[in-house]
């Protein structure tokens, strides 16, 4: 069997049994990057020497970890000590992280091999990876299309088989939407499940780190490795982490799946809607009970999100002033230094969100926008609490359309924001969600379905997704890049 | 609420951003479109709704206040655009 066709679980097993060496695996993936990244531009940095050395150490000393010898790519907003963390921005272009994120420490202690940092929308703001200050990542299914965003590089690296798994971050859908558009699995864990320590903050009450993988089983493996309480993150939650790999293999007879009518609306691509509706039939065949449900405040989610996220972002990005890190612009006075540094260092989308957030937080507008949004956030959260009294999982499309063409929505930020319409509510309510492939459009672009779960009930959405993948083969198709 | 170019200039000042004339025009137009879309929130009566700032219950997390040697201090200061010994250097403030 060819190396790139092995799943992450199979790779780990084969390395542990010494049927294959960690070096062979890492070298294989590095070669794949060498061959394909010229076309898709998923990586900001590749750690060739370090990754090979680490693989050799694992071969020599062995590893009892969950991820022994497994290559993994990391979104470039997660800190790795001694490496650049650029957030795909000019302002942090040369920033060397002085410490590692907790997820990185966890991955390393489980034996993973970090092979590179992946491209993203600058500071994770965007839905297409076109806002990277460096280059646009291409969708491996069609190089003229976007891979989704903001974790487009991480999604692309897995879809094009340049890494078996990767990490991304999801503030309003930045893992699930690119997973859907690239035809891979992407999970946003419940807020507090995975430590955010060492993740460059965008909107602190919404951000969460999560894995990309080719299938649900591999997602479960990585999520198990990175989850858990961390005393370095005050928003981390001290709850036991389920044994996802065992849990997912149970059947889903009798499980209740809710279909919210607000997610099947005008504007959703017909092919997307049909594929998602066909997948409901698969779940019925597997013994799930399908129920119609309602999340009445769904239509307000985009507005609420684009008040709360930029508000938090404008506060978080105040630290980029040219004093402690990042580039500094030449100037005569301190204020001039702040202004010139920030104006030259931030890209258009980041500036737009800082402006939006500063406005909605400013005196006179705080109540009308920010406080109002926080109240409607309560209504959105209450909708989910109500529905989850009746169902175990909610099923929706992940994205209203397949991947769009590069440049198509750049000039219209509102249209771009609407591409996250189905993923945003999950972050506002703090629940967990996964996107998995559920079909292909007539032009061979992947379509994703989203499964939303109760807080800290990742095992159920993973189980439902795993059972779907055992019945269907959408996740096995590879792009011809 | 209609945003004017003056509002954009004021907000840019608060945000410590210098905008070109072209950017000011662009942001005035785009922020108006975005905020107009957000005005739909006013259709909802939220007078009896409590705001949610975090989806999970938050509580203060405390640790012992102990002096420790920071192992990363040098790495942190190394990222500064300008430094002097163990200090960040900026333009004269006073």
């Amino acid at each position: 069997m060819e190396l790139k066709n092995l799943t992450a679980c199979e790779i780990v097993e084969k390395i542990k049994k010494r049927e294959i060496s960690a070096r062979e695996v890492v070298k294989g993936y590095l070669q794949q990057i060498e061959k394909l990244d010229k076309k898709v531009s998923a990586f900001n940095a590749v750690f060739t020497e370090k990754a090979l050395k680490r693989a050799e150490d694992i071969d020599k000393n062995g590893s009892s970890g969950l991820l022994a010898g497994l290559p993994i790519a990391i979104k470039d907003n997660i800190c790795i000590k001694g490496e650049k963390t650029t957030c795909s921005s000019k302002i942090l272009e040369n920033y060397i992280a002085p410490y590692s994120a907790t997820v990185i420490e966890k991955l390393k202690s489980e034996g993973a091999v970090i092979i590179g940092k992946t491209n993203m929308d600058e500071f994770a703001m965007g839905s297409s990876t076109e806002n990277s200050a460096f280059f646009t990542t291409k969708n491996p299914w069609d190089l003229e299309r976007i891979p989704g965003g903001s974790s487009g590089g991480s999604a692309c690296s897995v879809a094009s088989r340049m890494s078996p798994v990767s990490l991304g971050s999801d503030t309003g859908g930045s893992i699930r939407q690119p997973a859907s558009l690239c035809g891979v699995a992407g999970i946003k864990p419940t807020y507090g499940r995975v430590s955010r320590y060492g993740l460059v903050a965008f909107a602190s009450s919404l951000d969460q780190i999560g894995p990309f993988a080719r299938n649900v089983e591999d997602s479960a493996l990585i999520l198990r490795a990175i989850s858990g309480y961390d005393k370095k993150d005050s928003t981390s939650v001290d709850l036991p982490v389920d044994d996802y790999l065992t849990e997912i293999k149970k059947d889903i007879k009798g499980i209740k799946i809710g279909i919210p009518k607000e997610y099947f609306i005008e504007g959703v691509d017909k092919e997307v809607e049909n594929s998602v509706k066909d997948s409901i039939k698969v779940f019925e065949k597997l013994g799930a009970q399908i129920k119609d449900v309602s999340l009445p405040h769904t239509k307000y989610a985009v507005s609420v999100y684009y008040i709360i996220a930029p508000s938090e972002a404008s506060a978080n990005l105040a630290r980029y002033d040219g004093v402690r890190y990042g580039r500094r612009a030449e100037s005569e006075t301190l204020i001039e230094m702040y202004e010139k540094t920030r104006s030259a260092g931030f890209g258009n989308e980041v500036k737009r969100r800082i402006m939006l957030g500063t406005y909605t937080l400013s005196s006179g507008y705080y109540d009308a926008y920010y406080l109002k949004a926080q109240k409607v956030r309560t209504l959105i959260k209450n909708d989910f609490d109500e529905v989850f009294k009746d169902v175990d999982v909610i099923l929706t499309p992940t994205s209203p359309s397949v991947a769009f063409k590069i440049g198509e929505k750049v000039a219209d930020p509102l249209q771009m924001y609407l591409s996250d319409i189905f993923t945003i509510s999950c972050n506002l309510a703090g629940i967990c969600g996964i996107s998995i492939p559920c079909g292909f459009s007539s032009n061979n672009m992947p379509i994703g379905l989203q499964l939303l779960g109760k807080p800290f009930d990742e095992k159920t959405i993973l189980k439902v997704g795993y059972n779907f993948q055992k019945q269907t083969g959408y996740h096995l198709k590879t792009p011809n890049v | 609420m209609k945003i004017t170019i003056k509002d954009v200039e004021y907000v840019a000042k608060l945000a410590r951003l210098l905008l070109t004339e072209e950017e000011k025009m662009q942001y005035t137009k785009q922020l108006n479109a975005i905020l107009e879309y957000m005005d739909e929130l006013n259709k909802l009566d939220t007078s009896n709704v409590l705001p949610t700032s975090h989806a999970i219950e938050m509580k203060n997390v405390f640790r012992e206040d102990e002096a420790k040697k920071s192992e990363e201090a040098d790495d942190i200061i190394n990222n500064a655009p300008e430094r002097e010994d163990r200090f960040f250097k900026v333009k004269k403030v006073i």
Side-chain angles (χ1 to χ4, degrees), chain A residues 81 96 98 191 235 299 303 306 322-324 326 328 331 342-343 348 351-352 372 374-375 377-378 381, chain B residues 15 18 23 27 30 38 40-41 44 46 49-50 52-55 58 72 79-82 89 91:
Chain A
K81 187 179 165 85
I96 311 278
Y191 186 83
T235 59
K299 65 177 173 186
S303 296
Y306 279 99
V323 176
R324 288 155 296 160
R328 174 187 288 186
S331 56
R342 290 165 63 76
S343 304
N348 200 20
K351 282 189 212 167
R352 181 161 42 238
K372 183 80 184 181
Q374 297 283 49
K375 288 182 171 186
R377 183 178 186 179
T378 306
K381 189 175 180 302
Chain B
L18 292 173
E23 280 176 319
Y27 289 144
Q30 289 174 340
M38 288 166 179
E40 68 173 357
L41 294 181
L44 285 169
T46 52
V49 181
L50 289 173
T52 295
S53 55
H54 264 270
M58 298 296 298
E72 289 118 15
N79 272 304
E82 221 178 320
K89 198 172 172 187
K91 295 278 171 198

Side-chain angles (χ1 to χ4, degrees), chain A residues 89-311:
Chain A
S89 72
K90 276 193 215 160
I91 209 160
L92 288 182
E93 202 168 10
N94 296 311
Y95 175 71
I96 311 278
Y99 63 94
S100 283
T102 297
V103 290
I104 299 296
E105 299 290 1
K106 279 179 176 265
L107 289 173
K108 282 189 175 169
S109 72
E110 295 291 354
V113 179
I114 293 160
I115 54 167
K117 300 292 287 287
T118 55
N119 193 26
M120 54 187 278
D121 282 300
E122 183 182 341
F123 285 103
M125 296 179 191
S127 310
S128 65
T129 317
E130 289 164 293
N131 296 322
S132 165
F134 306 149
F135 42 80
T136 298
T137 299
K138 321 269 185 356
N139 192 309
W141 295 90
D142 176 351
L143 299 176
E144 287 182 7
R145 291 174 190 267
I146 56 106
S150 64
S151 313
S154 290
C156 174
S157 73
V158 174
S160 50
R161 307 296 188 254
M162 295 190 293
S163 178
V165 287
S166 64
L167 286 191
S169 68
D170 191 315
T171 305
S174 283
I175 291 174
R176 289 158 290 150
Q177 186 254 20
S180 173
L181 304 191
C182 286
V184 296
I187 180 164
K188 186 210 85 87
T190 309
Y191 186 83
R193 176 58 101 191
V194 176
S195 170
R196 293 184 299 112
Y197 179 78
L199 169 70
V200 178
F202 160 16
S204 313
S205 82
L206 307 164
D207 300 337
Q208 192 65 189
I209 296 171
F212 287 94
R214 281 163 48 194
N215 63 29
V216 175
E217 196 178 4
D218 290 355
S219 306
L221 173 76
I222 306 300
L223 187 63
R224 181 75 184 82
I226 61 170
S227 293
Y229 174 66
D230 178 18
K231 65 177 182 185
K232 290 178 180 168
D233 172 5
S234 66
T235 59
S236 161
V237 173
D238 195 2
L239 277 176
V241 178
D242 295 304
D243 181 1
Y244 302 127
L245 279 171
T246 311
E247 291 289 333
I248 59 170
K249 291 179 183 155
K250 296 174 181 168
D251 71 49
I252 58 165
K253 276 194 193 76
I255 210 155
K256 291 181 194 138
I257 300 179
I259 314 294
K261 61 172 190 258
E262 292 82 3
Y263 284 68
F264 295 85
I265 46 171
E266 209 182 310
V268 180
D269 189 289
K270 256 291 151 270
E271 288 184 318
V272 170
E273 189 175 328
N274 290 342
S275 286
V276 175
K277 284 190 169 160
D278 285 347
S279 70
I280 295 171
K281 291 177 198 149
V282 176
F283 288 117
E284 275 179 316
K285 239 171 65 187
L286 287 167
Q289 283 181 40
I290 308 297
K291 293 185 83 169
D292 289 326
V293 296
S294 174
L295 295 159
H297 296 95
T298 299
K299 65 177 173 186
Y300 302 106
V302 172
S303 296
V304 170
Y305 178 82
Y306 279 99
I307 293 171
I308 292 174
S311 295

Side-chain angles (χ1 to χ4, degrees), chain A residues 310-371:
Chain A
S311 295
E312 293 185 14
S314 71
N316 277 326
L317 269 59
R319 73 188 66 163
Y320 302 102
D321 54 10
V323 176
R324 288 155 296 160
Y325 35 69
R327 56 155 69 181
R328 174 187 288 186
E330 279 304 313
S331 56
E332 294 300 314
T333 66
L334 190 66
I335 297 283
E336 197 183 301
M337 184 190 91
Y338 296 155
E339 289 176 336
K340 284 190 174 170
T341 297
R342 290 165 63 76
S343 304
F346 291 137
N348 200 20
E349 181 61 28
V350 173
K351 282 189 212 167
R352 181 161 42 238
R353 294 206 197 185
I354 291 174
M355 291 290 291
L356 192 54
T358 306
Y359 179 77
T360 52
L361 286 180
S362 66
S363 168
Y365 300 104
Y366 177 91
D367 284 3
Y369 288 106
Y370 188 70
L371 190 64

